[in-house]
Amino acid sequence: MDRIRISGGRRLVGTIPISGAKNAALPLMIASLLTDQRLTLENVPDLADVGLLKRILANHGVDYMVSGKRASDNRTPEKR
């Protein structure tokens, strides 16, 4: 949808931020396994599915950063 037409008494003014689409981000994240080049994905939603895929990719050697900060290692520490 390119436009929304609103009929009413007063003119609307402003902006609406559009969030990222999970269904577009997940395949792009998986595609990162196919290259050794650095990829930048912007506007990726902070959802449980995306977080889980980040952990899965990290287990496969993908190093990722969120908002310019390297992700900490959230894996369970080894038992001693």
Side-chain angles (χ1 to χ4, degrees), residues 34-49:
L34 302 174
T35 182
D36 59 353
Q37 300 295 310
R38 178 179 294 186
L39 303 176
T40 302
L41 301 179
E42 297 179 347
N43 202 19
V44 176
D46 187 19
L47 301 172
D49 298 19

Side-chain angles (χ1 to χ4, degrees), residues 13-39:
V13 178
T15 59
I16 299 173
I18 304 299
S19 63
K22 173 187 71 168
N23 292 335
L26 296 178
L28 292 172
M29 291 172 66
I30 293 169
S32 68
L33 293 170
L34 302 174
T35 182
D36 59 353
Q37 300 295 310
R38 178 179 294 186
L39 303 176

Side-chain angles (χ1 to χ4, degrees), residues 54-72:
K54 285 191 282 190
R55 289 179 53 201
I56 292 169
L57 291 174
N59 289 334
H60 287 279
V62 174
D63 186 25
Y64 65 89
M65 295 169 60
V66 178
S67 298
K69 297 177 184 172
R70 190 169 304 279
S72 63

